[in-house]
Amino acid sequence: MALFWLSDEAWAAIEPHLPKNQPGARRVDDRRVISGILHVLKVGCRWCDCPADYGPSTTIYNRFNRWSHRGFWLKLLDALVDTGAVTKSTAIDSTYVKAQRAAFGAKGRSSQAIGRSRGGWTTKVHALTDVIGRPYALMLTPGNVSDIKAAPALLERAGHMRYLLGDKGYDADRLRRSLRDAGAVPVIPGRRNRKRIIRYDKDRYRGRHLIENAFCRLKDFRRVATRYDKLAANFLSGVALATALAFWL
C-alpha cells in the first residue's frame, strides 16, 4: 500500500499553527502522526488498521480525536483560508454523505447530524467556496434538513461578498432580501412554481459548477465520501482536514 506523507511545503504551512507548550509528556512527531491521520482519511481504513510506519494506531486516533474536541482542525482550516481566500464571488451548496452502521451508537443521535433522507440515513455537508472553487466554510446537518434552512447559519461565516451563487434550493425571498441588504447580488434561479420570473446573471451562474467539482474532489477521501465517525465533530474535523489538504496546502 502506498503511504501518504506531508510534503515539505505542506508541513511548512501547517507547523506554525500547531498547539504549543501543551502539558504532559512530549508529543510524538507531529508530522508523522498528521500524515497518518490523512492516510486514514484518504484510504478509508479503520483507525486500528493504520500502517505502523506512522506509529501506534492508538496514537494516531487519539491525536485526531483530542484535537477534534478542541476544534483544532477547524481552526487550522480557518488559518489557511485567511491567507488566501478570494470571496468576491461565493457559491453555496451541499452534498449527501451516507452514514454507515459504524456511525451509529453515539449518545444523542439527533445531535450527531444524521437524519433519514431519500438516500437512507445520511449527513449533509454544506459548504461555501471562493471565486476559484476552494471551500472555506463548512457545516453539517442531518440529511433531511433543507438547504434553505441551513443557509443563514452558514452565510454568517461568509464575510463580505459581491455575488452569491446557488441553485434553486436557495430560492427564497427572505434570503434574497438579506443578501441585498448586505450589499450582495443573489445569482440564484427561481423555482418552477414562482409566479414572477426571477432574473439572474446566467453567465456568472455557469461558475457554480466549481462547487460541485469541490465536493467531487473531497469525496476522493473515502472517510469523507462515507461517514464512519459516530461523532459529528469528528466527521466535520475529517472534512476540514481533507479540505485543507486538497485545496489550501
Short mmCIF file of all heavy atoms in Angstrom, two decimals, residues 157-212:
data_model
loop_
_atom_site.label_atom_id
_atom_site.label_comp_id
_atom_site.label_asym_id
_atom_site.label_seq_id
_atom_site.Cartn_x
_atom_site.Cartn_y
_atom_site.Cartn_z
N ARG A 157 -20.77 33.11 8.14
CA ARG A 157 -19.32 32.96 8.07
C ARG A 157 -18.75 33.36 6.71
O ARG A 157 -17.57 33.19 6.46
CB ARG A 157 -18.96 31.51 8.36
CG ARG A 157 -19.46 31.04 9.73
CD ARG A 157 -19.37 29.54 9.88
NE ARG A 157 -18.01 29.07 9.63
CZ ARG A 157 -17.69 27.78 9.47
NH1 ARG A 157 -18.65 26.87 9.53
NH2 ARG A 157 -16.45 27.42 9.26
N ALA A 158 -19.61 33.92 5.87
CA ALA A 158 -19.17 34.23 4.51
C ALA A 158 -18.32 35.48 4.42
O ALA A 158 -17.51 35.63 3.52
CB ALA A 158 -20.38 34.36 3.59
N GLY A 159 -18.50 36.42 5.35
CA GLY A 159 -17.79 37.68 5.22
C GLY A 159 -18.35 38.50 4.08
O GLY A 159 -19.46 38.27 3.59
N HIS A 160 -17.58 39.47 3.60
CA HIS A 160 -18.05 40.34 2.53
C HIS A 160 -17.98 39.61 1.19
O HIS A 160 -16.98 38.98 0.87
CB HIS A 160 -17.21 41.61 2.46
CG HIS A 160 -17.63 42.51 1.34
ND1 HIS A 160 -18.83 43.20 1.35
CD2 HIS A 160 -17.01 42.83 0.16
CE1 HIS A 160 -18.94 43.90 0.24
NE2 HIS A 160 -17.85 43.70 -0.50
N MET A 161 -19.04 39.71 0.42
CA MET A 161 -19.05 39.13 -0.93
C MET A 161 -19.93 40.01 -1.81
O MET A 161 -20.83 40.70 -1.32
CB MET A 161 -19.58 37.70 -0.89
CG MET A 161 -20.98 37.58 -0.33
SD MET A 161 -21.55 35.87 -0.26
CE MET A 161 -23.03 36.05 0.75
N ARG A 162 -19.67 39.96 -3.10
CA ARG A 162 -20.46 40.74 -4.05
C ARG A 162 -21.53 39.91 -4.72
O ARG A 162 -22.56 40.43 -5.14
CB ARG A 162 -19.55 41.38 -5.10
CG ARG A 162 -18.64 42.46 -4.54
CD ARG A 162 -17.80 43.10 -5.63
NE ARG A 162 -18.62 43.69 -6.68
CZ ARG A 162 -18.12 44.22 -7.81
NH1 ARG A 162 -16.81 44.24 -7.99
NH2 ARG A 162 -18.93 44.74 -8.71
N TYR A 163 -21.27 38.60 -4.86
CA TYR A 163 -22.23 37.72 -5.53
C TYR A 163 -22.33 36.40 -4.74
O TYR A 163 -21.33 35.90 -4.23
CB TYR A 163 -21.78 37.39 -6.95
CG TYR A 163 -21.54 38.59 -7.83
CD1 TYR A 163 -20.26 39.13 -7.97
CD2 TYR A 163 -22.60 39.20 -8.51
CE1 TYR A 163 -20.04 40.24 -8.76
CE2 TYR A 163 -22.38 40.32 -9.30
CZ TYR A 163 -21.10 40.83 -9.42
OH TYR A 163 -20.89 41.93 -10.20
N LEU A 164 -23.54 35.86 -4.67
CA LEU A 164 -23.73 34.53 -4.10
C LEU A 164 -24.39 33.65 -5.15
O LEU A 164 -25.48 33.95 -5.63
CB LEU A 164 -24.61 34.55 -2.85
CG LEU A 164 -24.88 33.16 -2.27
CD1 LEU A 164 -23.60 32.57 -1.66
CD2 LEU A 164 -25.99 33.20 -1.22
N LEU A 165 -23.71 32.56 -5.50
CA LEU A 165 -24.23 31.62 -6.49
C LEU A 165 -24.85 30.43 -5.77
O LEU A 165 -24.23 29.83 -4.88
CB LEU A 165 -23.10 31.11 -7.40
CG LEU A 165 -22.60 32.04 -8.52
CD1 LEU A 165 -22.05 33.34 -7.97
CD2 LEU A 165 -21.52 31.32 -9.34
N GLY A 166 -26.08 30.11 -6.13
CA GLY A 166 -26.75 28.96 -5.53
C GLY A 166 -27.77 28.39 -6.48
O GLY A 166 -28.24 29.07 -7.39
N ASP A 167 -28.13 27.12 -6.28
CA ASP A 167 -29.13 26.51 -7.15
C ASP A 167 -30.54 26.85 -6.66
O ASP A 167 -30.71 27.63 -5.72
CB ASP A 167 -28.91 25.00 -7.27
CG ASP A 167 -29.02 24.28 -5.93
OD1 ASP A 167 -29.63 24.84 -5.00
OD2 ASP A 167 -28.51 23.15 -5.82
N LYS A 168 -31.54 26.23 -7.25
CA LYS A 168 -32.94 26.56 -6.92
C LYS A 168 -33.31 26.22 -5.48
O LYS A 168 -34.30 26.75 -4.97
CB LYS A 168 -33.87 25.81 -7.88
CG LYS A 168 -33.76 26.28 -9.33
CD LYS A 168 -34.71 25.51 -10.23
CE LYS A 168 -34.57 25.97 -11.68
NZ LYS A 168 -35.49 25.22 -12.58
N GLY A 169 -32.53 25.37 -4.85
CA GLY A 169 -32.80 25.04 -3.46
C GLY A 169 -32.65 26.24 -2.53
O GLY A 169 -33.13 26.21 -1.39
N TYR A 170 -32.00 27.30 -3.00
CA TYR A 170 -31.79 28.51 -2.19
C TYR A 170 -32.69 29.66 -2.64
O TYR A 170 -32.48 30.80 -2.25
CB TYR A 170 -30.32 28.94 -2.26
CG TYR A 170 -29.40 27.89 -1.70
CD1 TYR A 170 -28.79 26.95 -2.53
CD2 TYR A 170 -29.15 27.82 -0.33
CE1 TYR A 170 -27.97 25.97 -2.01
CE2 TYR A 170 -28.32 26.84 0.19
CZ TYR A 170 -27.73 25.92 -0.66
OH TYR A 170 -26.92 24.94 -0.14
N ASP A 171 -33.69 29.33 -3.44
CA ASP A 171 -34.62 30.35 -3.92
C ASP A 171 -35.66 30.65 -2.85
O ASP A 171 -36.62 29.89 -2.66
CB ASP A 171 -35.31 29.88 -5.21
CG ASP A 171 -36.36 30.87 -5.69
OD1 ASP A 171 -36.20 32.08 -5.41
OD2 ASP A 171 -37.33 30.43 -6.33
N ALA A 172 -35.45 31.74 -2.12
CA ALA A 172 -36.40 32.17 -1.09
C ALA A 172 -36.32 33.68 -0.98
O ALA A 172 -35.23 34.26 -1.00
CB ALA A 172 -36.08 31.53 0.26
N ASP A 173 -37.46 34.33 -0.89
CA ASP A 173 -37.49 35.79 -0.84
C ASP A 173 -36.72 36.33 0.36
O ASP A 173 -36.03 37.35 0.26
CB ASP A 173 -38.94 36.28 -0.78
CG ASP A 173 -39.70 36.03 -2.08
OD1 ASP A 173 -39.03 35.90 -3.12
OD2 ASP A 173 -40.94 35.95 -2.03
N ARG A 174 -36.82 35.65 1.49
CA ARG A 174 -36.12 36.13 2.69
C ARG A 174 -34.61 36.13 2.49
O ARG A 174 -33.92 37.07 2.86
CB ARG A 174 -36.50 35.26 3.89
CG ARG A 174 -35.83 35.71 5.19
CD ARG A 174 -36.22 34.81 6.35
NE ARG A 174 -37.66 34.86 6.60
CZ ARG A 174 -38.27 34.15 7.53
NH1 ARG A 174 -37.57 33.32 8.30
NH2 ARG A 174 -39.57 34.27 7.71
N LEU A 175 -34.10 35.08 1.87
CA LEU A 175 -32.65 35.01 1.62
C LEU A 175 -32.23 36.07 0.62
O LEU A 175 -31.20 36.73 0.81
CB LEU A 175 -32.28 33.61 1.11
CG LEU A 175 -30.80 33.41 0.75
CD1 LEU A 175 -29.92 33.61 1.98
CD2 LEU A 175 -30.56 32.02 0.16
N ARG A 176 -33.02 36.27 -0.41
CA ARG A 176 -32.67 37.29 -1.41
C ARG A 176 -32.64 38.68 -0.77
O ARG A 176 -31.74 39.48 -1.05
CB ARG A 176 -33.69 37.26 -2.56
CG ARG A 176 -33.61 36.00 -3.42
CD ARG A 176 -34.66 36.02 -4.52
NE ARG A 176 -34.67 34.78 -5.27
CZ ARG A 176 -33.86 34.51 -6.29
NH1 ARG A 176 -32.97 35.40 -6.69
NH2 ARG A 176 -33.94 33.35 -6.92
N ARG A 177 -33.60 38.97 0.09
CA ARG A 177 -33.62 40.28 0.75
C ARG A 177 -32.42 40.46 1.66
O ARG A 177 -31.79 41.53 1.67
CB ARG A 177 -34.91 40.43 1.57
CG ARG A 177 -36.14 40.73 0.74
CD ARG A 177 -37.28 41.23 1.63
NE ARG A 177 -37.65 40.25 2.64
CZ ARG A 177 -38.58 39.31 2.47
NH1 ARG A 177 -39.24 39.24 1.31
NH2 ARG A 177 -38.88 38.47 3.45
N SER A 178 -32.08 39.43 2.42
CA SER A 178 -30.94 39.55 3.34
C SER A 178 -29.64 39.74 2.59
O SER A 178 -28.75 40.49 3.03
CB SER A 178 -30.85 38.31 4.24
OG SER A 178 -30.55 37.15 3.48
N LEU A 179 -29.50 39.11 1.42
CA LEU A 179 -28.29 39.29 0.61
C LEU A 179 -28.21 40.71 0.08
O LEU A 179 -27.15 41.36 0.15
CB LEU A 179 -28.29 38.29 -0.54
CG LEU A 179 -28.05 36.82 -0.18
CD1 LEU A 179 -28.29 35.92 -1.38
CD2 LEU A 179 -26.64 36.63 0.35
N ARG A 180 -29.31 41.21 -0.43
CA ARG A 180 -29.29 42.58 -0.97
C ARG A 180 -29.05 43.60 0.13
O ARG A 180 -28.36 44.60 -0.09
CB ARG A 180 -30.60 42.86 -1.70
CG ARG A 180 -30.78 42.03 -2.98
CD ARG A 180 -31.92 42.56 -3.84
NE ARG A 180 -32.03 41.83 -5.08
CZ ARG A 180 -32.87 40.83 -5.29
NH1 ARG A 180 -33.68 40.43 -4.31
NH2 ARG A 180 -32.91 40.21 -6.45
N ASP A 181 -29.62 43.36 1.31
CA ASP A 181 -29.38 44.27 2.43
C ASP A 181 -27.90 44.30 2.81
O ASP A 181 -27.40 45.31 3.31
CB ASP A 181 -30.21 43.85 3.65
CG ASP A 181 -31.70 44.09 3.44
OD1 ASP A 181 -32.05 44.84 2.50
OD2 ASP A 181 -32.50 43.50 4.20
N ALA A 182 -27.21 43.17 2.59
CA ALA A 182 -25.77 43.09 2.91
C ALA A 182 -24.90 43.56 1.76
O ALA A 182 -23.67 43.49 1.85
CB ALA A 182 -25.42 41.66 3.29
N GLY A 183 -25.52 44.01 0.67
CA GLY A 183 -24.75 44.51 -0.46
C GLY A 183 -24.31 43.44 -1.44
O GLY A 183 -23.42 43.67 -2.26
N ALA A 184 -24.91 42.24 -1.36
CA ALA A 184 -24.55 41.14 -2.27
C ALA A 184 -25.67 40.90 -3.28
O ALA A 184 -26.84 41.16 -3.00
CB ALA A 184 -24.28 39.87 -1.48
N VAL A 185 -25.29 40.41 -4.44
CA VAL A 185 -26.25 40.13 -5.51
C VAL A 185 -26.52 38.62 -5.55
O VAL A 185 -25.58 37.83 -5.73
CB VAL A 185 -25.72 40.59 -6.88
CG1 VAL A 185 -26.70 40.22 -7.99
CG2 VAL A 185 -25.43 42.08 -6.86
N PRO A 186 -27.76 38.19 -5.37
CA PRO A 186 -28.06 36.75 -5.47
C PRO A 186 -28.06 36.30 -6.93
O PRO A 186 -28.73 36.90 -7.77
CB PRO A 186 -29.46 36.63 -4.85
CG PRO A 186 -30.07 37.98 -5.00
CD PRO A 186 -28.95 38.97 -4.96
N VAL A 187 -27.28 35.27 -7.21
CA VAL A 187 -27.27 34.67 -8.55
C VAL A 187 -27.91 33.29 -8.38
O VAL A 187 -27.23 32.26 -8.34
CB VAL A 187 -25.85 34.59 -9.11
CG1 VAL A 187 -25.87 34.07 -10.54
CG2 VAL A 187 -25.17 35.95 -9.06
N ILE A 188 -29.23 33.29 -8.25
CA ILE A 188 -29.98 32.10 -7.89
C ILE A 188 -31.21 32.01 -8.81
O ILE A 188 -32.04 32.93 -8.80
CB ILE A 188 -30.44 32.15 -6.42
CG1 ILE A 188 -29.23 32.31 -5.49
CG2 ILE A 188 -31.25 30.92 -6.06
CD1 ILE A 188 -29.61 32.59 -4.04
N PRO A 189 -31.36 30.97 -9.58
CA PRO A 189 -32.55 30.85 -10.43
C PRO A 189 -33.80 30.61 -9.60
O PRO A 189 -33.72 30.11 -8.47
CB PRO A 189 -32.23 29.65 -11.33
CG PRO A 189 -31.24 28.85 -10.54
CD PRO A 189 -30.44 29.84 -9.75
N GLY A 190 -34.96 30.95 -10.15
CA GLY A 190 -36.21 30.76 -9.44
C GLY A 190 -36.78 29.36 -9.63
O GLY A 190 -36.48 28.68 -10.61
N ARG A 191 -37.59 28.95 -8.69
CA ARG A 191 -38.27 27.66 -8.80
C ARG A 191 -39.35 27.72 -9.88
O ARG A 191 -39.83 28.79 -10.25
CB ARG A 191 -38.89 27.28 -7.46
CG ARG A 191 -37.89 27.10 -6.31
CD ARG A 191 -38.63 26.83 -5.02
NE ARG A 191 -37.73 26.77 -3.89
CZ ARG A 191 -37.19 25.64 -3.42
NH1 ARG A 191 -37.47 24.49 -4.04
NH2 ARG A 191 -36.39 25.65 -2.38
N ARG A 192 -39.75 26.56 -10.34
CA ARG A 192 -40.77 26.49 -11.40
C ARG A 192 -42.11 27.06 -10.96
O ARG A 192 -42.86 27.60 -11.76
CB ARG A 192 -40.97 25.03 -11.83
CG ARG A 192 -39.85 24.47 -12.69
CD ARG A 192 -40.23 23.08 -13.17
NE ARG A 192 -39.21 22.51 -14.05
CZ ARG A 192 -39.30 21.33 -14.63
NH1 ARG A 192 -40.39 20.59 -14.41
NH2 ARG A 192 -38.34 20.89 -15.41
N ASN A 193 -42.42 26.92 -9.68
CA ASN A 193 -43.75 27.34 -9.23
C ASN A 193 -43.84 28.82 -8.90
O ASN A 193 -44.85 29.29 -8.40
CB ASN A 193 -44.17 26.51 -8.01
CG ASN A 193 -43.20 26.67 -6.83
OD1 ASN A 193 -42.18 27.34 -6.95
ND2 ASN A 193 -43.53 26.03 -5.72
N ARG A 194 -42.79 29.58 -9.19
CA ARG A 194 -42.84 31.03 -8.96
C ARG A 194 -43.76 31.69 -9.99
O ARG A 194 -43.69 31.38 -11.18
CB ARG A 194 -41.44 31.62 -9.05
CG ARG A 194 -40.70 31.63 -7.72
CD ARG A 194 -39.52 32.57 -7.79
NE ARG A 194 -38.85 32.70 -6.50
CZ ARG A 194 -39.16 33.59 -5.59
NH1 ARG A 194 -40.16 34.45 -5.82
NH2 ARG A 194 -38.50 33.66 -4.46
N LYS A 195 -44.59 32.59 -9.51
CA LYS A 195 -45.48 33.30 -10.42
C LYS A 195 -44.74 34.41 -11.17
O LYS A 195 -45.12 34.78 -12.27
CB LYS A 195 -46.65 33.89 -9.63
CG LYS A 195 -47.54 32.83 -8.99
CD LYS A 195 -48.70 33.45 -8.23
CE LYS A 195 -49.59 32.39 -7.61
NZ LYS A 195 -50.73 32.98 -6.84
N ARG A 196 -43.69 34.95 -10.51
CA ARG A 196 -42.91 36.02 -11.14
C ARG A 196 -41.56 35.46 -11.58
O ARG A 196 -40.89 34.76 -10.82
CB ARG A 196 -42.70 37.16 -10.15
CG ARG A 196 -41.90 38.34 -10.71
CD ARG A 196 -41.88 39.48 -9.69
NE ARG A 196 -41.26 39.06 -8.45
CZ ARG A 196 -39.94 39.11 -8.23
NH1 ARG A 196 -39.12 39.53 -9.19
NH2 ARG A 196 -39.46 38.73 -7.06
N ILE A 197 -41.18 35.75 -12.81
CA ILE A 197 -39.91 35.25 -13.33
C ILE A 197 -38.75 35.92 -12.60
O ILE A 197 -38.72 37.13 -12.43
CB ILE A 197 -39.79 35.52 -14.85
CG1 ILE A 197 -40.87 34.73 -15.60
CG2 ILE A 197 -38.41 35.15 -15.35
CD1 ILE A 197 -40.90 35.01 -17.09
N ILE A 198 -37.81 35.11 -12.15
CA ILE A 198 -36.61 35.62 -11.47
C ILE A 198 -35.51 35.83 -12.51
O ILE A 198 -35.16 34.92 -13.25
CB ILE A 198 -36.12 34.64 -10.39
CG1 ILE A 198 -37.17 34.49 -9.30
CG2 ILE A 198 -34.79 35.07 -9.81
CD1 ILE A 198 -37.41 35.74 -8.49
N ARG A 199 -35.00 37.05 -12.56
CA ARG A 199 -33.89 37.34 -13.47
C ARG A 199 -32.58 37.22 -12.70
O ARG A 199 -32.47 37.70 -11.58
CB ARG A 199 -34.04 38.74 -14.05
CG ARG A 199 -35.34 38.92 -14.83
CD ARG A 199 -35.39 40.25 -15.55
NE ARG A 199 -36.66 40.44 -16.24
CZ ARG A 199 -36.93 39.91 -17.43
NH1 ARG A 199 -36.02 39.18 -18.06
NH2 ARG A 199 -38.11 40.13 -17.99
N TYR A 200 -31.61 36.57 -13.31
CA TYR A 200 -30.30 36.40 -12.69
C TYR A 200 -29.23 36.37 -13.77
O TYR A 200 -29.52 36.17 -14.96
CB TYR A 200 -30.26 35.12 -11.84
CG TYR A 200 -30.44 33.85 -12.64
CD1 TYR A 200 -29.34 33.08 -13.00
CD2 TYR A 200 -31.71 33.41 -13.02
CE1 TYR A 200 -29.50 31.91 -13.74
CE2 TYR A 200 -31.87 32.25 -13.76
CZ TYR A 200 -30.76 31.50 -14.11
OH TYR A 200 -30.92 30.35 -14.85
N ASP A 201 -27.98 36.52 -13.36
CA ASP A 201 -26.84 36.57 -14.28
C ASP A 201 -26.48 35.16 -14.72
O ASP A 201 -25.77 34.44 -14.01
CB ASP A 201 -25.66 37.25 -13.59
CG ASP A 201 -24.51 37.53 -14.54
OD1 ASP A 201 -24.41 36.84 -15.58
OD2 ASP A 201 -23.69 38.42 -14.23
N LYS A 202 -26.97 34.75 -15.87
CA LYS A 202 -26.75 33.37 -16.33
C LYS A 202 -25.28 33.11 -16.65
O LYS A 202 -24.79 31.99 -16.45
CB LYS A 202 -27.62 33.08 -17.55
CG LYS A 202 -29.11 33.08 -17.24
CD LYS A 202 -29.93 32.70 -18.45
CE LYS A 202 -31.42 32.69 -18.11
NZ LYS A 202 -32.25 32.33 -19.29
N ASP A 203 -24.56 34.10 -17.14
CA ASP A 203 -23.14 33.90 -17.43
C ASP A 203 -22.35 33.64 -16.15
O ASP A 203 -21.51 32.75 -16.09
CB ASP A 203 -22.58 35.14 -18.14
CG ASP A 203 -23.10 35.27 -19.56
OD1 ASP A 203 -23.48 34.23 -20.14
OD2 ASP A 203 -23.15 36.41 -20.08
N ARG A 204 -22.64 34.42 -15.11
CA ARG A 204 -21.94 34.21 -13.84
C ARG A 204 -22.37 32.89 -13.20
O ARG A 204 -21.57 32.22 -12.54
CB ARG A 204 -22.22 35.38 -12.90
CG ARG A 204 -21.36 35.38 -11.64
CD ARG A 204 -21.54 36.65 -10.84
NE ARG A 204 -21.11 37.82 -11.58
CZ ARG A 204 -19.84 38.22 -11.65
NH1 ARG A 204 -18.88 37.54 -11.03
NH2 ARG A 204 -19.53 39.30 -12.34
N TYR A 205 -23.63 32.50 -13.38
CA TYR A 205 -24.14 31.27 -12.77
C TYR A 205 -23.40 30.04 -13.29
O TYR A 205 -23.34 29.02 -12.59
CB TYR A 205 -25.64 31.15 -13.06
CG TYR A 205 -26.29 29.96 -12.39
CD1 TYR A 205 -26.53 29.95 -11.01
CD2 TYR A 205 -26.65 28.82 -13.12
CE1 TYR A 205 -27.13 28.87 -10.39
CE2 TYR A 205 -27.25 27.73 -12.51
CZ TYR A 205 -27.48 27.76 -11.15
OH TYR A 205 -28.06 26.68 -10.53
N ARG A 206 -22.84 30.12 -14.48
CA ARG A 206 -22.10 28.98 -15.02
C ARG A 206 -20.91 28.59 -14.13
O ARG A 206 -20.44 27.46 -14.16
CB ARG A 206 -21.61 29.27 -16.44
CG ARG A 206 -22.71 29.39 -17.47
CD ARG A 206 -22.16 29.41 -18.88
NE ARG A 206 -23.21 29.57 -19.87
CZ ARG A 206 -23.53 30.73 -20.44
NH1 ARG A 206 -22.85 31.83 -20.13
NH2 ARG A 206 -24.51 30.81 -21.33
N GLY A 207 -20.44 29.54 -13.34
CA GLY A 207 -19.32 29.24 -12.45
C GLY A 207 -19.70 28.39 -11.26
O GLY A 207 -18.82 27.97 -10.49
N ARG A 208 -21.00 28.09 -11.11
CA ARG A 208 -21.43 27.31 -9.95
C ARG A 208 -20.93 25.87 -10.00
O ARG A 208 -20.88 25.18 -8.97
CB ARG A 208 -22.96 27.32 -9.84
CG ARG A 208 -23.48 27.05 -8.44
CD ARG A 208 -24.99 26.83 -8.44
NE ARG A 208 -25.35 25.61 -9.11
CZ ARG A 208 -25.30 24.40 -8.54
NH1 ARG A 208 -24.90 24.27 -7.29
NH2 ARG A 208 -25.65 23.32 -9.21
N HIS A 209 -20.51 25.42 -11.19
CA HIS A 209 -20.02 24.05 -11.28
C HIS A 209 -18.77 23.83 -10.43
O HIS A 209 -18.45 22.69 -10.07
CB HIS A 209 -19.71 23.69 -12.74
CG HIS A 209 -18.43 24.28 -13.26
ND1 HIS A 209 -18.34 25.58 -13.69
CD2 HIS A 209 -17.18 23.75 -13.37
CE1 HIS A 209 -17.11 25.83 -14.07
NE2 HIS A 209 -16.39 24.75 -13.88
N LEU A 210 -18.07 24.92 -10.07
CA LEU A 210 -16.85 24.78 -9.28
C LEU A 210 -17.12 24.17 -7.91
O LEU A 210 -16.29 23.41 -7.38
CB LEU A 210 -16.16 26.13 -9.13
CG LEU A 210 -15.57 26.73 -10.42
CD1 LEU A 210 -15.04 28.13 -10.16
CD2 LEU A 210 -14.47 25.84 -10.97
N ILE A 211 -18.25 24.49 -7.31
CA ILE A 211 -18.54 23.91 -6.00
C ILE A 211 -18.90 22.43 -6.13
O ILE A 211 -18.57 21.62 -5.26
CB ILE A 211 -19.65 24.69 -5.27
CG1 ILE A 211 -19.69 24.28 -3.78
CG2 ILE A 211 -21.01 24.52 -5.91
CD1 ILE A 211 -20.55 25.18 -2.92
N GLU A 212 -19.52 22.05 -7.24
CA GLU A 212 -19.78 20.64 -7.49
C GLU A 212 -18.46 19.89 -7.65
O GLU A 212 -18.27 18.78 -7.13
CB GLU A 212 -20.64 20.46 -8.75
CG GLU A 212 -21.97 21.19 -8.72
CD GLU A 212 -22.99 20.53 -7.80
OE1 GLU A 212 -22.67 19.46 -7.24
OE2 GLU A 212 -24.09 21.08 -7.66
#
